[in-house]
Amino acid sequence: MTKPKVATTSLAGCFGCHMSILDIDDRILKLVDIIDFHKSPVTDIKKFSERCLVGLIEGGCCNEENVHVLQDFRKNCDILISLGDCAIMGGIPAMRNNVPLKECFEEAYLNGVTVHNPSGRIPDSPELPLLLDRVYPCSEVVKMDYHLPGCPPSADTIWEALVALLNNKPLDLPYSLIKYD
Amino acid sequence: MSDEIKFSIDGVEIKAIPGQTILQAADAAGVYIPRLCAHRQLSPHGSCRVCTVKVNGRPQAACTQPAAPGIIVENNTDEMKAVRTSIVDMLFVEGNHFCMFCEKSGNCELQAMAYRLGIAAPQHEYLFPSRPLDASHPEVFIDRNRCILCGRCVRAAKELDNKNVFQFVGRGIHKHIAVNAEHGLSETDLAGVDRAVSACPVGAILRKRVGYSIPVGERLYDKQPIGSDIEADRSSAGK
Ligand code: SF4
Ligand code: SF4
């Protein structure tokens, strides 16, 4: 019997939520008995080649590339989950959401106290993903099926969610696992 | 007692004394009706609408509606929970609530209400408003990003501190909390120990230099949902 596939990605996140996946400790051995990780930083698989049951999304969308990756996940995963506060509401990166984009660039590349940029230019290589006007929560870009709050969500939260979904049970987080910090 | 009032909340008989609101009578009986703008030591405000209950089939704010003989109150029903969830959702998306670094996290009544209602994420879109911060006062700061317009600071200053420090200005989405001074909080007679500071249910008015003093896991709402204290009264009374 082929095992269900789980894909994961980090968009505008800090990889803290992925650290929390690893934080399930030895339960990860049980996990790889029942699932296969597909496209994920854990496997270094870059492209979807199979349909996945679950996609875990860390981080919101701060640039064009994030949007494309998220849309690709939506296309290839049956169940898409916002993993953590950044995916849910933008998180720390969204603190720029009420600062105009031009001011953000100028602070980062021209005026910031630690900036060393003799060219005085704001990087504009076509290789760089275009920054969006603000950071978007994942649910404002594609439909998200479930949300696991937390910064990061605890390993227990992630474990409970995966176990419930893999067993076709409804995902009802108990009081102790709903945390926004 | 001859003038005792009897009514029911979710089928449970509640006794009230004349002059009590539904919320006060429920509290005394150990029945928790969720609320944010209501505070035991302050006059009722009726603004947040989280305490909305159905009284004989009509939605009413339990914090302002007087207890009356024979009324049938619906509180902990799916319908009322949905109304409250929607209100709490909107309070989150219309401000900027970054709980991950907020000093009030774990002790915040808005956050605790969302936890109690089982909200994993709001269902509305975030507005990301631009709201000013006032850190001019040596002991206290106001972060309007987290203000839920409950008016507790306004009432606590007037009713408990006997000072005129805070007031609402503007209407609708532009309504915000203002201070009674030209250039900010430092010019008011607010003191760090004032009840107006501790009455804020969220991290909008905070004392400086005391944040994060309680470790995660031991904060007010880490183990027990908001309202557990009131419900504990009920079980200890053996009702
Ligand atoms: S005030 Fe409460 S809800 Fe808002 S950010 Fe702080 S802890 Fe979160
Ligand atoms: S500052 Fe705090 S107490 Fe005052 S209205 Fe806002 S949330 Fe309520």
Side-chain angles (χ1 to χ4, degrees):
Chain A
M1 197 186 88
T2 61
K3 294 186 264 179
K5 308 275 181 298
V6 174
T8 79
T9 190
S10 179
L11 307 176
C14 70
F15 265 91
C17 294
H18 274 76
M19 289 299 141
S20 211
I21 298 177
L22 300 182
D23 214 23
I24 63 174
D25 294 330
D26 55 352
R27 283 174 292 185
I28 202 145
L29 298 174
K30 269 193 231 160
L31 192 60
V32 293
D33 275 346
I34 49 174
I35 62 134
D36 276 331
F37 278 105
H38 187 50
K39 179 181 155 80
S40 164
V42 179
T43 56
D44 213 23
I45 296 173
K46 309 275 192 223
K47 284 208 166 84
F48 280 107
S49 57
E50 289 168 279
R51 183 109 199 124
C52 292
L53 178 68
V54 177
L56 294 170
I57 310 291
E58 166 186 331
C61 290
C62 79
N63 65 30
E64 198 184 22
E65 192 209 5
N66 295 154
V67 173
H68 292 151
V69 173
L70 182 56
Q71 287 170 336
D72 198 26
F73 266 73
R74 181 68 278 179
K75 245 180 257 149
N76 287 283
C77 302
D78 294 341
I79 301 167
L80 216 48
I81 304 181
S82 318
L83 179 65
D85 293 339
C86 292
I88 291 175
M89 52 76 75
I92 304 283
M95 287 184 75
R96 78 161 161 97
N97 280 9
N98 37 53
V99 180
L101 193 55
K102 189 158 174 283
E103 275 175 45
C104 293
F105 273 121
E106 286 168 354
E107 181 67 15
Y109 294 107
L110 304 178
N111 305 330
V113 282
T114 56
V115 170
H116 174 73
N117 181 7
S119 79
R121 283 182 53 194
I122 291 171
D124 58 355
S125 159
E127 297 284 308
L128 295 172
L130 208 63
L131 217 56
L132 303 179
D133 61 335
R134 63 176 178 88
V135 178
Y136 289 82
C138 290
S139 63
E140 292 182 20
V141 178
V142 300
K143 180 183 187 304
M144 302 301 291
D145 300 299
Y146 295 101
H147 306 273
L148 300 180
C151 185
S154 69
D156 288 338
T157 308
I158 298 170
W159 175 253
E160 291 295 324
L162 285 177
V163 168
L165 291 176
L166 291 167
N167 289 300
N168 261 325
K169 299 238 168 70
L171 203 173
D172 276 325
L173 292 176
Y175 181 81
S176 58
L177 296 184
I178 300 182
K179 294 277 172 243
Y180 303 163
D181 60 4
Chain B
M1 248 199 325
S2 58
D3 53 0
E4 192 178 73
I5 294 169
K6 284 184 190 161
F7 68 103
S8 78
I9 300 180
D10 296 337
V12 177
E13 189 185 85
I14 306 286
K15 297 188 182 97
I17 43 178
Q20 272 185 325
T21 62
I22 293 173
L23 188 89
Q24 286 164 339
D27 277 5
V31 171
Y32 179 63
I33 300 176
R35 82 295 302 265
L36 287 172
C37 74
H39 185 289
R40 279 191 183 174
Q41 276 136 343
L42 300 173
S43 59
H45 199 233
S47 63
C48 77
R49 268 16 216 189
V50 171
C51 73
T52 301
V53 290
K54 275 200 173 169
V55 179
N56 293 341
R58 287 188 56 194
Q60 303 280 5
C63 72
T64 53
Q65 188 69 17
I71 52 171
I72 296 166
V73 177
E74 297 166 51
N75 170 41
N76 201 22
T77 60
D78 286 346
E79 189 186 359
M80 290 301 105
K81 279 191 265 184
V83 166
R84 289 168 188 154
T85 299
S86 196
I87 293 170
V88 170
D89 270 9
M90 287 190 274
L91 289 173
F92 269 92
V93 300
E94 77 169 30
N96 292 306
H97 293 274
F98 293 91
C99 293
M100 63 288 283
F101 62 80
C102 179
E103 290 176 34
K104 193 75 171 187
S105 193
N107 299 304
C108 167
E109 292 181 35
L110 174 65
Q111 186 191 60
M113 195 61 70
Y115 290 172
R116 182 176 172 124
L117 291 166
I119 299 175
Q123 52 197 316
H124 306 290
E125 286 193 12
Y126 289 86
L127 297 184
F128 296 111
S130 195
R131 295 192 190 163
L133 194 132
D134 181 347
S136 61
H137 193 283
E139 292 176 79
V140 179
F141 69 89
I142 311 178
D143 186 346
R144 293 185 180 85
N145 290 293
R146 303 170 184 150
C147 175
I148 57 169
L149 304 175
C150 69
R152 282 205 208 169
C153 56
V154 179
R155 284 172 287 150
K158 284 207 186 98
E159 296 169 19
L160 303 176
D161 303 328
N162 297 310
K163 295 180 184 178
N164 187 358
V165 182
F166 300 103
Q167 197 49 269
F168 286 123
V169 295
R171 295 181 74 87
I173 197 76
H174 303 292
K175 184 172 173 177
H176 63 273
I177 202 80
V179 298
N180 184 21
E182 190 89 14
H183 300 112
L185 204 54
S186 63
E187 289 177 1
T188 67
D189 53 357
L190 182 78
V193 293
D194 281 355
R195 296 298 305 276
V197 177
S198 52
C200 180
V202 293
I205 302 181
L206 285 173
R207 289 190 72 172
K208 293 181 177 176
R209 294 176 292 276
V210 294
Y212 315 115
S213 54
I214 309 169
V216 173
E218 289 169 28
R219 301 166 304 182
L220 196 51
Y221 303 117
D222 278 337
K223 295 203 186 84
Q224 281 213 319
I226 189 168
S228 300
D229 49 343
I230 290 170
E231 288 165 331
D233 288 350
R234 176 176 176 79
S235 25
S236 67
K239 283 182 207 163

